[in-house]
Amino acid sequence: MRLLFLAVLRQHTGNAVTAQRVRDHLEAAGHVCILKDAFDFENPSEISNFIKAENLEAAVALHLYRGGRLLRGNGIPFGIIFGGTDLNEDVNQGDKNKVMGKVLEEARFAVAFTESMKEMAQRQWPHAKDKIYVQSQGIATVPNTAFNWNTFLQSSEINQSADNLHMFLLICGLRQVKDPLYLVDAFSEWHQEEPNVYMVIVGPEVDPVFTREVKAKVKRTPGVRLIREMAQEDLHAVMKNCFAVVNSSVSEGMSAAILEAMDLEVPVLARNIPGNSAVVKHEVTGLLFSDPQEFVHLAKRLVSDPALEKKIVANGREYVRKYHSWQEERQTYRQLVRTLERNTGD
C-alpha cells in the first residue's frame, strides 16, 4: 500500500523523531511510506493534488490539527497520532478544537502516547472514544561510538579540567512551549558557586524570533551554553556522557529525550507537568521539579547522592524496557495500518 505520512519535520524535535520511527515500522511491513512536512502544504486541495499525483491509497498524520486538518475530505482512509501541543494547547482554541473534532470523525484510528492523553481526547470528543488507542513511544538508542567527548567540551567552551565536571543537558527545539530559559538564571547562580556544573541547551532553531532571545540570554549567562542541533547518534553520545538530562517544557505529549535518557542509563530531571509525570515517577524513575529553585535543590542532591542516582537510573532503564518496547510499537502500527488497507475499497 502507498501511504502518505504527514508530520511536522523540524529536525530532531520529538515529532520528527517519532515520525521517522513510525515510517520505519510501516516500511518494514512492506508499505511505501512517503513522509512529508505538514508545513509544505497550505490547504487540503494541495494535499489532494499530491495524493492523486503520487497515487496514494491511505495516510497517517502526526498531530491532530497541523496534519489532520489537511487530510479531511480527501477521500482516502487515514489515521491520526496525537502530537502533544494538539491536546495541550490547540484544544483550548475554539476554531481549532472544532476542526480537530471533525478530523476525528473521519479518522479510522487515533493513537495517544499515554492513558491521560487518551482520556483528555475522549473528554473533548466523546464521539471518537472507540477509535482511540494507547501506544507509548518505542525507544531505541544508538550512540555514535566514535564521538569525541573532549572535542565536544572544547567546542562548547566547557572547562574540561573542571574538577568533577557535571553537565546537565536540556534537549529541545527553541520555541516557547519548551521554555528553555526557565532554569537559566537559577542554574547560573549555582554555577557561580560551583564552577564544575554546566547546563547545555541543544536543539533546532524552530522559532527565529524566540531563538534570538535565547541566544542573547545564554550569551550573557555564566555556566550555560547553547549548541546547535546534532545528528541523532551524536546527540545520544552526548546524552550518554552527560550527568543528567533535563526537561523544562510547559507542555509535553511524551518526551522522547526523557525516554532515551532512561534507555542510556542517564538520570532525568523533569518539570512536573502531566506529560512528564506520566513517565517520570518522582524519586523512582527520575526527579520532578515545580520551580527553578526546586530544580537546583534536586540537582545538588543528585550530585551528592550516588545511591539515589544509581537507583533512578536502574529503575528508568527497567521502565523503558518494560513499557516502551520498540518491537511492540512496530506491531501496533502494523495492525492499525491494516485497518486502512481493509477500507481502501470502500
Side-chain angles (χ1 to χ4, degrees), residues 21-319:
R21 196 177 61 251
V22 174
R23 180 181 68 169
D24 289 347
H25 295 332
L26 300 179
E27 292 190 333
H31 302 294
V32 174
C33 191
I34 299 173
L35 183 58
K36 298 293 288 182
D37 194 323
F39 284 126
D40 288 346
F41 303 92
E42 289 195 6
N43 53 57
S45 66
E46 287 186 9
I47 284 281
S48 183
N49 293 337
F50 183 78
I51 288 167
K52 286 177 186 136
E54 293 290 335
N55 196 25
L56 298 169
E57 300 160 80
V60 176
L62 174 51
H63 201 287
L64 181 56
Y65 182 74
R66 289 179 193 147
R69 69 189 174 91
L70 295 168
L71 295 178
R72 283 182 62 205
N74 272 306
I76 60 169
F78 66 87
I80 292 292
I81 304 167
F82 295 112
T85 52
D86 42 11
L87 287 178
N88 293 323
E89 309 285 326
D90 297 337
V91 77
N92 299 316
Q93 298 178 41
D95 289 349
K96 288 184 178 181
N97 188 311
K98 195 178 289 183
V99 168
M100 292 191 290
K102 296 285 188 188
V103 172
L104 281 176
E105 283 178 17
E106 289 189 38
R108 305 285 182 172
F109 64 80
V111 177
F113 296 141
T114 65
E115 285 291 345
S116 62
M117 286 176 76
K118 178 183 178 180
E119 288 162 12
M120 203 182 306
Q122 287 176 333
R123 279 197 304 273
Q124 289 293 330
W125 307 288
H127 63 79
K129 64 181 172 57
D130 293 332
K131 61 175 75 171
I132 303 173
Y133 301 82
V134 176
Q135 174 56 56
S136 56
Q137 296 199 62
I139 295 299
T141 55
V142 189
N144 177 3
T145 53
F147 188 81
N148 190 312
W149 178 241
N150 288 329
T151 301
F152 171 78
L153 292 177
Q154 194 174 353
S155 67
S156 306
E157 298 180 358
I158 290 174
N159 181 7
Q160 296 168 68
S161 62
D163 185 40
N164 203 13
L165 175 67
H166 289 88
M167 194 187 93
F168 292 77
L169 186 67
L170 175 60
I171 302 162
C172 67
L174 300 185
R175 53 190 179 125
Q176 290 185 334
V177 72
K178 299 299 179 182
D179 211 1
L181 298 177
Y182 183 62
L183 303 171
V184 162
D185 288 334
F187 195 95
S188 185
E189 283 179 31
W190 180 27
H191 170 80
Q192 288 170 82
E193 293 168 20
E194 299 181 42
N196 62 320
V197 297
Y198 286 86
M199 173 175 280
V200 173
I201 304 168
V202 60
E205 299 177 0
V206 176
D207 178 335
V209 176
F210 185 61
T211 294
R212 285 197 292 273
E213 183 186 329
V214 172
K215 285 181 174 178
K217 177 71 174 175
V218 168
K219 198 172 184 180
R220 59 178 188 267
T221 307
V224 181
R225 303 287 187 267
L226 179 63
I227 307 294
R228 296 195 70 164
E229 62 185 312
M230 311 169 74
Q232 194 73 358
E233 294 81 1
D234 290 347
L235 183 59
H236 287 163
V238 173
M239 292 168 80
K240 185 74 180 165
N241 282 282
C242 76
F243 176 70
V245 166
V246 178
N247 179 293
S248 60
S249 297
V250 174
S251 78
E252 283 284 358
M254 178 176 281
S255 167
I258 286 177
L259 297 170
E260 287 166 353
M262 289 178 179
D263 191 53
L264 291 164
E265 300 181 19
V266 176
V268 170
L269 292 102
R271 192 167 177 172
N272 194 356
I273 56 170
N276 288 344
S277 61
V279 295
V280 178
K281 190 173 180 185
H282 186 57
E283 296 187 356
V284 178
T285 55
L287 298 172
L288 293 169
F289 59 87
S290 297
D291 56 54
Q293 291 69 37
E294 188 179 15
F295 165 79
V296 171
H297 169 74
L298 291 170
K300 286 180 175 178
R301 188 177 150 203
L302 193 60
V303 166
S304 64
D305 189 347
L308 175 65
E309 180 192 356
K310 188 177 177 182
K311 181 182 87 168
I312 64 175
V313 161
N315 289 338
R317 180 78 172 110
E318 181 59 29
Y319 169 79

Side-chain angles (χ1 to χ4, degrees), residues 313-339:
V313 161
N315 289 338
R317 180 78 172 110
E318 181 59 29
Y319 169 79
V320 167
R321 282 182 171 167
K322 192 171 180 181
Y323 296 107
H324 295 276
S325 159
W326 181 85
Q327 290 88 351
E328 193 176 299
E329 181 187 50
R330 171 163 288 192
Q331 190 58 30
T332 296
Y333 283 107
R334 282 183 171 188
Q335 288 171 350
L336 288 173
V337 166
R338 281 193 200 114
T339 68

